[in-house]
Amino acid sequence: MELALLLVSMAAVVLAATAVSERLRVPAPLLLVVVGAAASYVPGVPTIHLESEVVLLGLLPPLLYAAAIQTSLVDFNANRGTILRLSILLVVVTALAVAAVVEWLVPDLGWAAAIAIGAVVAPPDAVAATAVARRIGLPRRVVTILEGESLLNDATALVVLRTATAALAGGVAVSHIGLDFLVAAGGGVLIGVGFFLLVAKLRRRISDPLMDTAISFLTPFAAFVAAEEIHASGVISVVVAGLLLGHKAPIIQTAQSRITERITWRTVAFVLENTVFLLIGLQLDWILQDVQESSLPHSRIALVCLATLLTVVVVRLVYMQATGFLRRRDPIPASWSFLIGWAGMRGVVTLAAAFVIPEDAPHREVLLLVAFTVVAGTLLVQGLTLPLMTRLLDVPAPDPAEDALARAALLQQAADAGFKRLDELDYDDQHGVVDQVRARVDQRTFAAWEQLATTDGDETPSELYARIRGEMIEAERSKVLLVRGKGKVPSEVVSQVLGMLDIEESMLDAGSDARAGVRSGSLSFAGGRTCDDLDEHPAVDTVADPACATCLRDGTRWVSLRQCLTCGHVGCCDSSVGKHATAHFHDSLHPVVESAEPDESWRWCYVHNLTG
């Protein structure tokens, strides 16, 4: 009962602190570390020793897997050079730099123990970095690099730590260090690919979402254990399996399985991530008590802790600036490089790895405090100041309006491909089904375009549809619940109907959230493909006070306006009743229109269905 009470209390604290962090606009990991540290001194709160086995086997695999399946393999591959150098080279450089500082300040520590603590504090934490980065809106490439680095750097750090602890136990040949890393990395990749192939083969034969999710739960633990059994890197095997399974999910899983797995792992990651930071804070009390018995003066201990914290921060910043020449083919702006360097927050792996240091290691209690200081210091100092640094450097966050434009353009291309396939099908449509299919696809596509710009104060067709349909669904659900209360309809049937209503309502909610996230401002479209028509019709300044003359003549209202870049004709978009811009294209065959809405500078080619 005491254990159950402790777990329930921790879960309640995690949920409460997360809710408070939303109101305070402070990243939850930072608040939870502070709450945990304060709680460790509260009478009645039991002392919790975070065992390395619990973290490395119980918490690390699911956290890595949850992050890996949501990481874009395409983005990861585009930045693989920077990610691999950060994951390998920077970890080794940081470990050696910290070892030199610590051995200099504590000469009787020995190089093996110094390198061990260097390996412990070297790897930044994926959870801490991305939790802060996503909240403040760092550029996506910065977030991708931080995520990719944090997924792989633990493997390098653990190999270095394993070598150092072996040296503490009785020596290790220098020639074996490189071989150990190659075995760990190569074996981890092979095991990860093997589990990907196995799980992918199983998923192609499984349509039950519950069975599929159960396999997903087993995968990270099985991959980690299998790799560690052959002395390979369990971290790399989990990451490789997760990246490949996440990338191939649209092909090897059913839609229901993907939805179930996505929601399940988001929940698991939310609980574990936040609980981990609470546990970090709870270690403070007993770590400080152990330090009281150290033979080193308190002033020297404080100096070692602060010097180590300063070293890990400075080495990372210097590394990012000094290795800029290695990124000449795909350079990173100097401000982005600084933010990547400043976002090197440490987390639970650092603290867990510290407990791997043998009990008989010299000054082990001080090394544990050093690890805690680096974790807490980087989380609080860098985590709290990262938003300020972002503002001072004027680093732009991802623009929801640009995302809305890219989403609408992609949906348009997908719809066109679907309509092309529809025209190729052989069918006997005696019931007007094709018209219904076309109407539903058009409604989805139009709703995406409507998220860009509308007349101020007007409700778009998709917003009106969402409001009306939402009210209808609420009435439908009330009726189903009334029927359920009478007990005359099988409960399975009632659950199925309620589930159908929930799925439809969630689609309405998702559309409303996306519309609310699109902020006003200058909207342009960068990247993507181009065509001859777009090249021949560059953007121009649209007419002042644009209006659809046909709508005015017919007495109808428009949603958004488009201007023809050949003749200057202004017509309403396809979400409007008249669809006069498209009608003008069919009449004139003028291929390219431009948005006539204020502060928008994107074009659309009717011939090739491309956004420019």
Side-chain angles (χ1 to χ4, degrees), residues 52 56 99 137 236 240 320 535 546 592:
S52 59
L56 298 180
I236 292 180
V240 169
M320 287 304 302
D535 292 338
V592 181

Side-chain angles (χ1 to χ4, degrees), residues 56-57 61 162 183-184 186-196 198 218-238 241:
L56 298 180
L57 182 58
R162 183 188 304 168
V183 170
V189 171
L190 291 177
I191 295 295
V193 171
F195 269 88
F196 158 69
L198 175 61
L218 180 63
T219 300
F221 296 103
F224 189 91
V225 171
E228 292 294 329
E229 279 294 312
I230 64 169
H231 302 290
S233 172
V235 170
I236 292 180
S237 67
V238 172

